[in-house]
Amino acid sequence: MNTLIQDLRYGVRVLLSKRGFSAIAVLTLAMGIAATTSIFSVVDAVLLRPLPIKQPERVVVIHNQLPKINLPRTQVSAPQFVDYTRDCDAFESTAALAGRNFNLTGFSDPERLQAGRVTAGFFPMLGASPAAGRFFTEEEDKDGNQHLIVLSSRLWKRLFNSDRSALEKTIQLDGEGYLVVGVGSEDLEQLYPKIDLWMPMAFSPAELSEDRRRSLAYTMLARLKPGAGIDQAQAAMSNIARNIAGGHPDEFNIEVRSLTDERVEDVRRPLFVLLCAVVVVLLISCANIASLLLARASTRAHEMAIRSALGASRARIIRQLLTEALVLAAIGEALGVFLAWWGTSALIALAPANLPRLGEVRLNGGVLLFSLAVSLACGVLFGLMPALTGSRTDLANSLKESGRTDSANPVRQRVLGGLTVAEVALAFVLLISAGLLLRSFGRLLNVQPGFDPRNVLTMRIALPRTQYTKSQQVAAFHDAVLQRVSALPGVEHAAFANQPPFTPGGDSTIFSIRDRHASPEDPAPHADYAYVTSDYFRATGIPVLSGRDFEQSDMRTFSNMFALGAVAIVDEELAKRFWPNGDALGGALRWSSDGPWATIVGIVATAQLRDLTEASKGTFYLPVYSSSGTLVARTTNDPQSLTRALREQVLAVDKNQPVYDIQTMDERVARSLDGRRFAMLLLGIFSGFALVLAAFGLYGVLAFAVSQRTREIGIRMALGAQASDVLRQVMRHGMILVSIGVLVGLAVALALTRVMSSLLYGVSATDPLTFAAISLLLLGVALGACFVPARRATKVDPMVALRYE
């Protein structure tokens, strides 16, 4: 122990004696540790930490699969939920979940709340406990008992300041009273952060009827029996699917997947790529510090020789040098954790809002232990190689006055060269990855969305079914609001739509085409659809390519949407797919097999309904008033300046009607790219940092080589060598190392960037332009890093150099 304390004290003194060297090494390591810790805190919260439920590995989600109509994963219907629960023997319990929205009144301004309709087995299946009160019973999960609610912890705190007197109180939702019987736990809120309150599913007879078997609107959850695995449950559900589809899995199948995978599948690969990127940065940092320590070890050769001469064993010298490296790592860890607090906050601010469990990201004990382990590993990693080479001394030469710098150590030179090659190769891989994402993002920004998002304001409105019981009331509300909004100064066009561009989720359906005679093996036509009011295409900027726009006389309510004279408009994609001969105008389509037809009166440009990356399956539009939709207003100036005025017009028609999800169309488009922008930005920062580190590493190696060869350079110049010869020689040495690093990095990048294929759009993982541009960039930076020490070498005075050492 005394020896260890002695080593620690000496290590601290050595670092303090070289403050410039120590500061550079500590800062380099601290930044690498801070970045790694910050990214790992996100990975830990999102991917590694188990879901806050009982035995989460046993909870699964059941999906229908309809591959023929390009629906690889859908929800289930109420009749299917009952059938699957009854027929599958791999489930211990099941539950169903469906969304519903309410207008809350009685608390200052009206607001929109999202509710979760759940069966009584939902909470026990998750192992959830109420924070106050109770959950629903089996008896209460019956038709007619829907007026019981459980508040989320967040809503309980906001409305009632977490007062238990809220229990057994009645609040007004859609103008009706709902009794508060309990409050959900914070764990439940972490699992479903968007749900404000819970209510019994209480399936109605209509929902359970055979007519609703194709109404796929319910999420089915199940807990596996003890000893049953996902494979067993999948086999059982596949057997049920075969019985339903008559042995045609290409038409219908059922998928069983874990709830954990369901929540993190979309973010697993991007986070994995970012974690790998930050580890690469950390490795480059370690290589840089190892190079600094190796260079410094040459100046300590005389010291090590004296220690050996006085009886110190090689193991004792290695331990001393490793102790110094670990002291350096400990200081870097302390500073790195401090920077990680800021870095984690910055990551949370930059992260897309739909990143799951974002509220749980923090520097907890597990993350700090990981950070400590990383720093110790780094200390050993960058300290071991200099310790091994520094402890290998030639007493005869090292004890001579001329051996102070150990200038002729070929092992050290080879190790320094190898570290430089590794730094360049790692930086090249990171730069390629960032370059591919940047090119992909640029392609996305150039995608034409099919509409003009400029100067468009959107806000959602959902009319309560209890107050707007008739379609005529819904139509009257829409007409009154549109009349008021259209009259506002600065508003050019206004319309309603249930699914404007860049709406999450979206609606799609199977439909029929008049005079289309398909064989039984052909899949039914499938497309997205939207209910819109007249003037919608002018409000969104979707151009009408042929035919005509909707007129006010075309408008229908739900009760007569396919009455005599009903019309529809299709987009260009749908027209090309199902009317390839250009005869879409005058054609007709319908939803049901025996209902009336809607005549196609116009063709519009194809607009992206969800995001820029998803290829459109085609959309048809119907002039129908929808009780739940989005008000779209095109303005002559900044649309946000009209937010208050538009809200006031809605309240003037119905004082209890809230508006929510207020965004400009530009914001909708931008938010659809948040995830890709987040990954591109971080990878760009990491790769830039790696490039700077690699450049400094190359500069340091060449500067060290020049300083070690000062006498040799002086002799060469004294014998007639020109400054250009010396410049060329040093530059050649550096560029050979860089070229080897680029070749190694190229081979690694070609193998690894394929992992990023799913993150790219319109760009190949082996895009030659990106590889060529990054190669030129790296070689250009390397030339600059080589030129400075090479230029310094040409300034050597032969007379001074001949007296060197």
Side-chain angles (χ1 to χ4, degrees):
M1 179 60 71
N2 289 335
T3 304
L4 177 61
I5 294 174
Q6 190 179 46
D7 287 345
L8 288 172
R9 287 176 177 173
Y10 184 74
V12 171
R13 288 201 303 272
V14 168
L15 293 177
L16 289 176
S17 66
K18 302 290 183 180
R19 289 185 177 85
F21 161 83
S22 301
I24 293 174
V26 166
L27 186 60
T28 300
L29 181 61
M31 293 181 70
I33 289 176
T36 305
T37 303
S38 298
I39 291 293
F40 183 77
S41 68
V42 178
V43 172
D44 174 64
V46 177
L47 301 181
L48 302 183
R49 201 177 305 164
L51 296 177
I53 59 177
K54 177 185 176 183
Q55 297 175 316
E57 70 281 358
R58 290 176 53 199
V59 179
V60 296
V61 185
I62 313 302
H63 290 285
N64 286 334
Q65 294 180 315
L66 302 169
K68 266 200 169 183
I69 57 175
N70 194 28
L71 287 177
R73 192 172 288 140
T74 71
Q75 295 174 301
V76 305
S77 66
Q80 286 175 333
F81 169 73
V82 175
D83 292 346
Y84 296 167
T85 300
R86 180 193 62 225
D87 296 338
C88 184
D89 59 1
F91 299 149
E92 179 181 81
S93 60
T94 61
L97 166 65
R100 182 176 173 183
N101 293 324
F102 288 98
N103 290 343
L104 172 69
T105 54
F107 294 87
S108 63
D109 293 333
E111 62 176 299
R112 193 67 174 169
L113 299 180
Q114 183 169 337
R117 291 179 62 200
V118 294
T119 53
F122 176 80
F123 301 111
M125 190 196 68
L126 296 181
S129 300
R134 62 180 179 84
F135 292 137
F136 318 121
T137 66
E138 290 284 350
E139 286 301 314
E140 290 170 335
D141 187 21
K142 299 289 178 63
D143 186 35
N145 292 340
Q146 292 93 333
H147 285 221
L148 302 175
I149 58 170
V150 170
L151 302 177
S152 68
S153 297
R154 178 184 64 258
L155 190 64
W156 182 41
K157 181 177 182 180
R158 183 161 61 85
L159 295 183
F160 299 102
N161 198 27
S162 301
D163 190 344
R164 296 181 71 90
S165 66
L167 300 177
E168 303 304 320
K169 280 189 176 181
T170 299
I171 63 175
Q172 295 296 309
L173 301 173
D174 284 357
E176 296 185 338
Y178 283 76
L179 180 65
V180 178
V181 298
V183 177
S185 64
E186 291 187 359
D187 286 345
L188 191 62
E189 188 169 309
Q190 289 175 7
L191 196 62
Y192 295 98
K194 294 183 179 180
I195 292 183
D196 300 301
L197 54 92
W198 305 88
M199 60 186 300
M201 179 69 74
F203 285 122
S204 66
E207 288 177 297
L208 295 172
S209 67
E210 284 301 309
D211 293 340
R212 302 291 292 274
R213 185 165 287 275
R214 293 173 62 183
S215 179
L216 309 178
Y218 306 88
T219 299
M220 180 175 178
L221 303 173
R223 178 172 288 278
L224 301 175
K225 286 182 177 179
I230 290 182
D231 292 341
Q232 180 181 340
Q234 181 63 70
M237 296 305 294
S238 296
N239 186 52
I240 294 173
R242 280 192 296 270
N243 293 334
I244 295 173
H248 296 285
D250 59 327
E251 296 181 3
F252 177 76
N253 209 339
I254 303 173
E255 179 191 32
V256 180
R257 65 200 305 250
S258 73
L259 180 60
T260 300
D261 287 344
E262 177 88 359
R263 294 178 61 81
V264 304
E265 181 184 48
D266 292 340
V267 299
R268 179 182 281 119
R269 181 162 294 185
L271 287 180
F272 173 74
V273 169
L274 289 177
L275 183 61
C276 289
V278 80
V279 168
V280 168
V281 172
L282 188 61
L283 289 175
I284 295 176
S285 300
C286 290
N288 240 334
I289 297 173
S291 298
L292 289 172
L293 290 175
L294 276 169
R296 187 165 167 270
S298 69
T299 64
R300 300 179 65 187
H302 193 67
E303 174 195 340
M304 297 300 112
I306 292 175
R307 285 175 172 268
S308 296
L310 293 176
S313 65
R314 188 183 179 199
R316 181 70 178 81
I317 294 175
I318 290 175
R319 190 176 71 182
Q320 174 61 52
L321 295 176
L322 266 180
T323 301
E324 293 176 16
L326 290 174
V327 169
L328 194 65
I331 300 173
E333 161 69 7
L335 180 58
V337 169
F338 174 77
L339 294 176
W341 284 104
W342 174 85
T344 302
S345 299
L347 276 180
I348 293 173
L350 291 172
N354 61 351
L355 186 68
R357 309 182 74 177
L358 184 61
E360 301 175 50
V361 176
R362 59 181 59 88
L363 293 184
N364 56 26
V367 174
L368 292 178
L369 283 176
F370 169 82
S371 180
L372 179 61
V374 166
S375 67
L376 291 175
C378 288
V380 174
L381 189 64
F382 65 67
L384 187 59
M385 196 173 296
L388 291 175
T389 57
S391 62
R392 187 183 291 112
T393 58
D394 183 345
L395 289 179
N397 287 328
S398 297
L399 288 175
K400 293 178 182 178
E401 186 68 17
S402 61
R404 290 181 185 273
T405 61
D406 196 19
S407 61
N409 192 325
V411 174
R412 183 173 291 115
Q413 298 298 330
R414 286 195 296 270
V415 171
L416 281 170
L419 288 172
T420 303
V421 168
E423 286 188 57
V424 172
L426 291 172
F428 183 84
V429 173
L430 265 189
L431 286 167
I432 286 293
S433 301
L436 289 172
L437 284 184
L438 182 60
R439 284 261 293 157
S440 175
F441 196 75
R443 290 288 179 89
L444 277 173
L445 293 179
N446 290 326
V447 171
Q448 295 301 317
F451 63 94
D452 183 3
R454 296 170 299 177
N455 292 339
V456 177
L457 183 66
T458 66
M459 53 181 63
R460 295 189 66 186
I461 297 173
L463 302 178
R465 306 170 192 173
T466 54
Q467 295 176 344
Y468 291 83
T469 58
K470 297 180 180 180
S471 298
Q472 291 76 9
Q473 292 175 297
V474 175
F477 173 86
H478 283 74
D479 287 341
V481 170
L482 290 177
Q483 184 178 1
R484 285 176 167 272
V485 170
S486 298
L488 287 175
V491 174
E492 288 185 326
H493 303 285
F496 276 98
N498 74 319
Q499 184 176 299
F502 290 85
T503 299
D507 297 316
S508 59
T509 186
I510 298 171
F511 64 99
S512 302
I513 299 174
R514 186 170 61 191
D515 299 329
R516 182 179 186 266
H517 304 290
S519 65
E521 291 77 20
D522 290 340
H526 182 264
D528 293 319
Y529 68 92
Y531 300 134
V532 303
T533 61
S534 59
D535 219 24
Y536 169 75
F537 299 111
R538 284 184 285 270
T540 54
I542 299 175
V544 178
L545 304 179
S546 60
R548 67 173 178 85
D549 198 346
F550 288 136
E551 299 171 355
Q552 186 61 32
S553 60
D554 295 322
M555 293 304 302
R556 296 286 189 273
T557 62
F558 269 105
S559 59
N560 69 344
M561 60 187 296
F562 282 119
L564 186 65
V567 297
I569 289 178
V570 299
D571 69 2
E572 189 176 18
E573 176 64 28
L574 202 66
K576 288 180 178 178
R577 182 174 300 179
F578 296 109
W579 291 272
N581 298 324
D583 54 350
L585 286 178
L589 54 82
R590 66 182 179 187
W591 286 8
S592 59
S593 58
D594 56 353
W597 298 95
T599 303
I600 298 173
V601 297
I603 299 174
V604 298
T606 301
Q608 300 293 115
L609 292 186
R610 294 178 178 85
D611 60 50
L612 294 174
T613 64
E614 185 175 343
S616 173
K617 63 182 70 172
T619 306
F620 63 86
Y621 301 87
L622 300 173
V624 176
Y625 295 106
S626 174
S627 60
S628 177
T630 301
L631 174 61
V632 182
R634 178 167 292 279
T635 65
T636 56
N637 46 30
D638 180 15
Q640 290 182 328
S641 64
L642 291 173
T643 299
R644 181 176 179 181
L646 265 65
R647 180 188 282 114
E648 288 175 348
Q649 299 311 310
V650 174
L651 293 176
V653 176
D654 185 344
K655 65 178 180 180
N656 292 321
Q657 181 57 50
V659 296
Y660 61 105
D661 192 21
I662 302 172
Q663 300 180 67
T664 65
M665 194 62 77
D666 283 326
E667 289 173 334
R668 282 177 173 266
V669 176
R671 288 184 180 181
S672 72
L673 300 175
D674 278 351
R676 293 174 180 270
R677 185 182 291 106
F678 176 68
M680 181 196 69
L681 178 62
L682 290 187
L683 203 55
I685 292 173
F686 296 153
S687 61
F689 186 37
L691 179 62
V692 172
L693 285 177
F696 274 110
L698 177 63
Y699 165 81
V701 167
L702 290 183
F704 173 70
V706 168
S707 68
Q708 297 295 285
R709 298 173 59 189
T710 300
R711 188 167 183 272
E712 174 193 338
I713 293 171
I715 293 174
R716 286 176 177 272
M717 297 185 72
L719 294 176
Q722 300 298 312
S724 58
D725 298 327
V726 175
L727 180 71
R728 199 162 39 246
Q729 183 183 24
V730 177
M731 293 286 289
R732 184 188 302 114
H733 174 60
M735 293 311 294
I736 287 174
L737 295 178
V738 172
S739 299
I740 296 173
V742 168
L743 291 175
V744 174
L746 180 64
V748 175
L750 287 172
L752 295 184
T753 50
R754 300 181 189 277
V755 179
M756 299 177 56
S757 296
S758 62
L759 305 179
L760 303 178
Y761 175 84
V763 176
S764 167
T766 56
D767 179 51
L769 181 60
T770 302
F771 275 74
I774 294 303
S775 299
L776 291 175
L777 171 65
L778 190 54
L779 290 173
V781 172
L783 279 172
C786 293
F787 181 77
V788 177
R791 179 73 174 170
R792 185 179 301 165
T794 64
K795 303 297 183 181
V796 171
D797 185 340
M799 296 303 296
V800 175
L802 290 176
R803 293 197 302 269
Y804 187 68
E805 293 190 349

